[in-house]
Amino acid sequence: MAKSTHRNQLAPGISRLSRSQVFSKRAAYKVAKQSAPAAATKAAPAATPYTPYVKDDLLVQLTATPQDKVAATRVPRAKAVHKAQRAPRLRASITPGTVLIMLAGRFRGKRVVCLKQLPSGLLLVTGPFRLNGVPLRRVNAAYVIATSTTVDLTGVTVDAKFTDEYFKRSPTAKLQGTEEEFFGAAAQPQEHPAHKIADQKQVDQAVGAAIAQVPSLAAYLASSFSLAKGQAPHKLKF
């Protein structure tokens, strides 16, 4: 608040005059403003010119740093990094024959049987297909729950042909952005290879025989896992 005399105050601290009236009464606008002289800008230090290292100059030899003695034509080479592709370590609770609960994907909630770990670290599992509709497929160990139920796979031989290359899809011609798509042509549905159907039946027969030896195990694998109201997953014993 602008300063005012006691006769211009309605009460202590409350002025009778407005701010504009006080400004006009003081006539401060008639006083010429004196601006402070601008501070001189500090000139930037001049850049020291680069003097190349001269081997014959004794003064340069005595004052040169190790970096100066490096030849200017030397090109730095990127350090070669050799990283070995190793499969991630498998949890101790997951072994061949362990019943797993899938947590992601189109078959989430299904119970499957683990057959082996592939070189990429993914797990090779099967439903079997005739019990719950889960075919031979690869799953990430981070997206499964290992249960205490196991299937004895002593007499089951998993063929060595089931590798990561086995599950790669064959390239198909896409119609997106082509003339055929513009005229309404639809892509032909790709049929499942016959040899993979035969491999699925062979694995289901071997694993199914081991499952049949345990009572109620087939019904357990055919059912889906779900949580009821009030169930806490961290308190369950699988």
Side-chain angles (χ1 to χ4, degrees):
M1 180 182 294
K3 293 183 179 180
S4 60
T5 60
H6 293 287
R7 59 190 178 88
N8 291 333
Q9 292 184 356
L10 298 177
I14 303 177
S15 176
R16 183 173 60 86
L17 304 177
S18 63
R19 294 182 60 185
S20 60
Q21 290 174 338
V22 173
F23 181 78
S24 178
K25 195 175 183 66
R26 293 177 59 190
Y29 57 90
K30 296 182 180 180
V31 179
K33 294 183 179 180
Q34 295 180 359
S35 58
T41 56
K42 187 176 181 181
T48 305
Y50 173 74
T51 56
Y53 174 73
V54 182
K55 188 175 180 180
D56 298 335
D57 193 341
L58 179 60
L59 179 61
V60 174
Q61 290 186 15
L62 296 177
T63 59
T65 61
Q67 289 78 7
D68 296 334
K69 297 181 180 179
V70 177
T73 56
R74 181 178 177 182
V75 179
R77 185 184 303 174
K79 183 179 180 181
V81 179
H82 303 282
K83 293 185 178 180
Q85 298 292 337
R86 299 185 180 90
R89 184 178 299 177
L90 195 60
R91 302 199 300 265
S93 57
I94 300 178
T95 57
T98 303
V99 176
L100 309 174
I101 300 175
M102 302 184 67
L103 301 178
R106 54 181 296 199
F107 298 109
R108 59 182 176 273
K110 296 288 187 178
R111 294 180 172 93
V112 295
V113 180
C114 176
L115 299 180
K116 68 174 183 178
Q117 185 185 24
L118 299 175
S120 63
L122 301 177
L123 303 177
L124 176 64
V125 300
T126 183
F129 181 77
R130 65 181 184 86
L131 286 181
N132 51 24
V134 182
L136 281 167
R137 62 187 294 110
R138 299 175 298 173
V139 296
N140 194 328
Y143 298 103
V144 297
I145 296 177
T147 66
S148 56
T149 307
T150 57
V151 180
D152 188 9
L153 300 180
T154 304
V156 179
T157 303
V158 181
D159 203 332
K161 64 183 176 183
F162 296 119
T163 59
D164 295 289
E165 297 290 336
Y166 178 86
F167 293 96
K168 286 188 176 180
R169 297 180 180 180
S170 57
T172 56
K174 297 183 179 179
L175 298 180
Q176 185 176 4
T178 59
E179 184 178 356
E180 290 80 1
E181 183 194 17
F182 179 78
F183 287 103
Q188 296 295 332
Q190 187 178 5
E191 297 182 356
H192 199 61
H195 70 280
K196 291 189 177 182
I197 298 177
D199 294 340
Q200 182 68 59
K201 291 181 179 179
Q202 182 181 0
V203 173
D204 283 0
Q205 183 179 2
V207 178
I211 294 173
Q213 298 178 2
V214 182
S216 304
L217 184 56
Y220 174 72
L221 291 173
S223 62
S224 298
F225 171 78
S226 61
L227 290 174
K229 184 178 181 180
Q231 282 186 325
H234 63 281
K235 294 184 178 180
L236 297 178
K237 183 178 180 181
F238 297 94

